[in-house]
Amino acid sequence: MKLSPERRLDLAVAACAAVVYLGALWNGFALDDRSQVAFNPLLSDWSGMWRAFGESWWASGFGGQYYRPLTVATLVLDARLDGAPWFHLVNVLWHAAATVTVAALARRWAGARAGLIAGLLFAVHPVHVEAVANVVGRGELMAALWTLLAVYAAVVRESPAWSGVALACGLLSKENAAVAPALVALAWLLGVTRPPRRTMVALAAAWAVAGGAYALARWAVLHTHTGFADIAPVFQGADGLTVRLTAAATLADVARLLVFPLRLRVDYSLQERTLVSSVLDARLLAGVLCTAIWAALVVVAWRRGRRVEAYGLVWIAVALLPVANLLFPVGVLVAERTLYLPSAGLAVAAGAWLGGLRSRLVPVLVGLGVVAAAARTAWRVPVWRDDTTVTVSILADSPRSYRGPQYAAALLQAGRNPARALAYYRAALALYDRDSRLFIGAADAALALRQPALADTLLRRAAALCGRCAANYLNQASGARARGDSSIADSLLARAGRLASP
């Protein structure tokens, strides 16, 4: 059967998206994959697929404000079929589907050439590695795909029902899918598309139904959950103005990661990106400069009638806003995974611009750029192979981050080397002493070294912080039991109980 040019384009960009992530099939589980996949009780049998809709994303002690049951349901399905390679293969397939949808949108708005370029750029962009190569990045991939489909159903198919269904699925995958209606409204506002008023009203009604049903389900599940306020460690104790100045400064990081992602990191440490409290801070000025350049590009594109380019550029800002810490602080200051959906706007804008150029150099330059980005992506994928590779990466790329020594200490404890683990915990505490997990982990190591007095001192320090103490004690005790130290686990819990007593 002969394929249409559109289907051949879709297959080409999907294949490109899959090929660069073939190395992910050799990855195991790393960091949060452990709690969400390897040790998640919901994944133990088929019933977890529907029980997920009555549970928060994390255990309540770790932040009950997240509700992502559709993502968990897909993980349950994966667990019934195969091991880690299958989880990673499914992530790659979600990424390939998102890539095809980006290409389809660009093709619809700016032609086949623009669609091909946008699809290729999105397929290989190195900033996507964290979301695709780490299993818990599934939420980013699913939310992005459903958001893209909600936009496609609204502006291309003009189908309110399907757009509403896609929005609901996106919200049930991850909260940032809430930007879908704004992205559609932006297309109307900029004149990229203009459906009949009746269709607009029907779309608004479909979104209201989807959003209302999601909000009701979310409240019903989460209103009784407790947990810490999930904000980035750097924002602890900061006032609102300082939070926003710091967030504005990080826009320089966002611009670099989107445009020139040569240097990537697992952790953007709070020591390297400290609070910005002055409007004269060079970091803030860099962020403002990047924002000004972005705004100038939007204005130039708009004035020249390049509406798709303008739309793609504004898409970046709309998709970034929920995680930018400008409206409210979130759990991370900078994270590459959060740029997955914003980068779709960049791909559309770049595809429309480059696709409109008729120079013979354009295919050559695009080809070289795609090859270079693909090589960087493929080289980065093995970083997410397991806890050890991730830890080594943090120690090398973010030497001032306390996360590197923290994860190294946990690995050493699991390997029954408490003396070195305690040394790494002390190194982590020298960098940051506001995370109770560091004190509890260090107390575990002290007990293994038969230093109960030191353990009690460390646990008192943890109790003074106590942001996530209950869950952290249980997790540390579980780790001790897993390595065969049940007596230490019991001692940790007993000491935690005494500290909690009035």
Side-chain angles (χ1 to χ4, degrees):
M1 182 176 65
K2 187 176 181 180
L3 295 175
S4 67
E6 289 82 6
R7 297 292 78 77
R8 289 199 297 270
L9 187 155
D10 292 342
L11 286 174
V13 298
C16 189
V19 167
V20 295
Y21 284 102
L22 285 178
L25 301 184
W26 282 266
N27 285 0
F29 299 128
L31 298 189
D32 290 343
D33 290 351
R34 297 289 177 186
S35 58
Q36 291 302 92
V37 178
F39 304 130
N40 189 341
L42 288 174
L43 272 60
S44 62
D45 58 64
W46 286 106
S47 67
M49 292 189 69
W50 53 86
R51 287 192 291 123
F53 288 83
E55 300 288 342
S56 66
W57 171 247
W58 299 110
S60 61
F62 282 88
Q65 68 269 41
Y66 296 146
Y67 185 59
R68 302 165 187 173
L70 192 58
T71 300
V72 178
T74 67
L75 296 175
V76 174
L77 177 60
D78 290 353
R80 306 274 63 74
L81 297 176
D82 205 345
W86 178 260
F87 283 89
H88 288 287
L89 175 61
V90 173
N91 267 26
V92 173
L93 294 177
W94 281 103
H95 173 56
T99 298
V100 169
T101 311
V102 169
L105 285 170
R107 180 173 68 239
R108 175 75 180 192
W109 292 326
R113 194 180 187 195
L116 177 61
I117 295 172
L120 291 175
L121 293 176
F122 189 83
V124 303
H125 201 303
V127 84
H128 297 162
V129 174
E130 181 180 2
V132 182
N134 190 213
V135 174
V136 293
R138 177 80 58 86
E140 297 289 349
L141 306 178
M142 292 179 62
L145 175 59
W146 289 118
T147 299
L148 289 162
L149 290 174
V151 173
Y152 188 89
V155 304
V156 177
R157 297 298 184 186
E158 295 185 0
S159 172
W162 284 114
S163 186
V165 168
L167 173 62
C169 290
L171 290 170
L172 292 170
S173 300
K174 194 173 181 183
E175 297 79 4
N176 58 342
V179 302
L183 292 172
V184 175
L186 179 65
W188 298 340
L189 181 64
L190 294 181
V192 175
T193 183
R194 187 63 61 86
R197 180 167 305 202
R198 183 174 58 184
T199 302
M200 292 184 183
V201 172
L203 282 165
W207 295 332
V209 171
Y214 165 76
L216 183 62
R218 178 189 175 91
W219 178 85
V221 172
L222 301 185
H223 79 282
T224 59
H225 283 244
T226 60
F228 73 109
D230 191 13
I231 64 173
V234 70
F235 294 141
Q236 295 287 346
D239 60 75
L241 177 61
T242 300
V243 168
R244 284 154 183 81
L245 291 177
T246 305
T250 63
L251 294 176
D253 283 305
V254 170
R256 181 190 64 78
L257 287 168
L258 287 175
V259 177
F260 192 69
L262 180 61
R263 187 180 184 189
L264 301 170
R265 298 183 181 189
V266 173
D267 181 75
Y268 290 79
S269 72
L270 60 92
Q271 288 79 18
E272 295 176 6
R273 283 157 180 78
T274 53
L275 289 172
V276 174
S277 56
S278 170
V279 295
L280 299 179
D281 192 302
R283 295 169 296 172
L284 175 62
L285 297 178
V288 171
L289 177 61
C290 290
T291 305
I293 293 172
W294 165 82
L297 290 173
V298 173
V299 171
V300 169
W302 175 255
R303 286 183 174 177
R304 293 184 177 180
R306 309 297 294 265
R307 294 182 177 181
V308 177
E309 287 95 317
Y311 175 64
L313 290 169
V314 180
W315 173 304
I316 298 171
V318 172
L320 181 67
L321 197 56
V323 294
N325 295 291
L326 293 169
L327 297 179
F328 44 80
V330 297
V332 292
L333 179 58
V334 180
E336 292 162 14
R337 63 184 180 275
T338 64
L339 300 182
Y340 190 81
L341 181 58
S343 70
L346 177 65
V348 169
W353 174 54
L354 292 169
L357 300 177
R358 295 305 167 193
S359 170
R360 294 181 179 179
L361 289 176
V362 170
V364 176
L365 294 176
V366 170
L368 291 173
V370 168
V371 169
R376 182 69 184 98
T377 293
W379 184 261
R380 181 69 179 173
V381 167
V383 164
W384 292 95
R385 181 155 296 167
D386 53 37
D387 288 345
T388 300
T389 56
V390 171
T391 300
V392 169
S393 174
I394 297 174
L395 289 170
D397 298 335
S398 304
R400 290 188 286 176
S401 169
Y402 79 93
R403 299 291 193 192
Q406 177 190 14
Y407 297 151
L411 288 170
L412 288 164
Q413 280 179 298
R416 304 186 68 83
N417 192 339
R420 289 193 65 196
L422 184 59
Y424 270 100
Y425 274 123
R426 282 171 169 158
L429 286 166
L431 292 167
Y432 184 68
D433 62 357
R434 304 296 299 166
D435 189 332
S436 64
R437 290 173 297 181
L438 300 179
F439 292 104
I440 297 170
D444 183 353
L447 289 172
L449 292 169
R450 299 183 180 180
Q451 298 181 34
L454 175 59
D456 288 338
T457 299
L458 291 165
L459 291 177
R460 281 193 290 270
R461 294 287 302 277
L465 297 170
C466 214
R468 297 159 67 169
C469 284
N472 285 336
Y473 281 123
L474 290 173
N475 281 349
Q476 197 69 43
S478 296
R481 287 197 173 91
R483 66 175 188 263
D485 289 333
S486 296
S487 61
I488 291 178
D490 294 338
S491 182
L492 271 174
L493 296 177
R495 283 172 158 78
R498 288 198 297 270
L499 288 170
S501 300

